[in-house]
Each structure stands twice: as structure tokens, then as C-alpha cells.
């Protein structure tokens, strides 16, 4: 799209929009926040937004667990090679798992629910670890400034 640095930060060089444009609202937004969290001012906030979107997708799919036709839309346009390349170029195992979950929910709908809560819980923990690390760095910097 426009040459903005946080649009193509994945080492694959694939822009988020190339994948998200074919996805539902929840999974597309989860993808966006997972892919760009490092490039914004608040990584924890962006990861928690991704968690919210994933939880909403899981909730909606859970309500329709026996409806095989629910949540099937134009994801036939998703490029599976791009998805694989995009996910495999993510250095964090937590984010990689969350990306896989995002695409599983999008592509397989209800059958992507198996490990969803475990992955979402791990993503929350990762977001909190990032926040704790940032806080520790901030406090260390403040104490050095005082000296």
C-alpha cells in the first residue's frame, strides 16, 4: 500500500494487508495487531487487542459449533504460501502460535477451536512479560538519571 515501515515489518516482506483483506473482521484485526505490535508505542496494548479479537472470534465460533456452514466466506483467496512464509518468519514462538491460531480460525472455522484458549492465555502472558520488561527498563533509566 503506502510505504509505511510498520506495514511490512515481518522478515518475509509480506504486508499485512495482503493477507488481512481476505479475512473476517476479528481474525484480520488480530493479524494486524500481532504483526505490528513491535512497531508501535505500546506492544502490550497491541497484543492485548489481538487477544480481544481472537477471543471474540473463538466466542462467535463456539456459539455455532454445530453449524458447519457458519463462518465460511471468501477466504478462498488467501494465499497459503504467503501465510506459511509470513508465520515462519516470526521470531517469537508465542506470536507464531497466535498467528497460526488466527489463520486456523479463519480457514477452518469451528475446527480451529481445539487449542485456542491455551494459545490465547500464552499470548496474554507474553504481553505481560513485555510490559514487565519495559517497566523494569523505565525504572532503571529513571534511577540512572537521578544519579
Amino acid at each position: 500500500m503506502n510505504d509505511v515501515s510498520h506495514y511490512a515489518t515481518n522478515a518475509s516482506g509480506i504486508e499485512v494487508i495482503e493477507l488481512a483483506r481476505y479475512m473476517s473482521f476479528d481474525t484480520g484485526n488480530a493479524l494486524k495487531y500481532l504483526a505490528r505490535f513491535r512497531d508501535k508505542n505500546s506492544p502490550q496494548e497491541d497484543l492485548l487487542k489481538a487477544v480481544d479479537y481472537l477471543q471474540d472470534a473463538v466466542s462467535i465460533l463456539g456459539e455455532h459449533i454445530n453449524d458447519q456452514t457458519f463462518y465460511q466466506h471468501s477466504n478462498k483467496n488467501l494465499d497459503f504460501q504467503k501465510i506459511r512464509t509470513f508465520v515462519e518468519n516470526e521470531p517469537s514462538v508465542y506470536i507464531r502460535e497466535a498467528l497460526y491460531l488466527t489463520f486456523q480460525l479463519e480457514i477452518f472455522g469451528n475446527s480451529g477451536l481445539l487449542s485456542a484458549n491455551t494459545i490465547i492465555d500464552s499470548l496474554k502472558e507474553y504481553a505481560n512479560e513485555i510490559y514487565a520488561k519495559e517497566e523494569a527498563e523505565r525504572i532503571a533509566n529513571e534511577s540512572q538519571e537521578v544519579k
Side-chain angles (χ1 to χ4, degrees):
M1 292 214 88
N2 298 326
D3 190 28
V4 178
S5 64
H6 68 265
Y7 284 166
T9 57
N10 183 285
S12 68
I14 298 169
E15 289 189 25
V16 174
I17 191 69
E18 293 178 55
L19 300 170
R21 71 168 39 114
Y22 301 112
M23 299 171 73
S24 69
F25 181 79
D26 283 330
T27 55
N29 276 305
L31 172 64
K32 176 181 72 171
Y33 284 109
L34 289 168
R36 300 178 185 166
F37 80 96
R38 289 181 186 93
D39 305 314
K40 304 279 211 70
N41 292 334
S42 178
Q44 182 200 30
E45 184 178 320
D46 279 2
L47 288 176
L48 293 176
K49 286 178 185 179
V51 164
D52 287 343
Y53 282 114
L54 288 172
Q55 286 176 323
D56 194 48
V58 166
S59 173
I60 290 168
L61 288 170
E63 292 171 11
H64 299 275
I65 197 79
N66 295 317
D67 183 357
Q68 296 301 315
T69 62
F70 185 75
Y71 214 65
Q72 293 177 354
H73 55 83
S74 66
N75 63 26
K76 66 181 181 286
N77 293 317
L78 279 171
D79 182 330
F80 294 106
Q81 185 57 44
K82 277 188 181 177
I83 290 171
R84 176 184 222 152
T85 302
F86 190 86
V87 174
E88 288 176 353
N89 277 280
E90 170 53 50
S92 165
V93 67
Y94 299 107
I95 303 302
R96 208 167 35 249
E97 286 178 352
L99 287 168
Y100 274 127
L101 172 63
T102 302
F103 289 116
Q104 284 175 336
L105 293 173
E106 181 63 32
I107 296 164
F108 303 114
N110 301 348
S111 61
L113 294 175
L114 245 37
S115 59
N117 290 328
T118 303
I119 293 170
I120 290 170
D121 288 344
S122 293
L123 185 60
K124 284 185 207 174
E125 289 176 27
Y126 184 59
N128 290 330
E129 287 174 20
I130 288 173
Y131 177 75
K133 182 180 175 185
E134 288 177 342
E135 273 299 293
E137 288 174 4
R138 184 186 64 75
I139 291 169
N141 289 338
E142 286 178 356
S143 66
Q144 285 180 352
E145 289 175 4
V146 170
K147 293 179 182 181

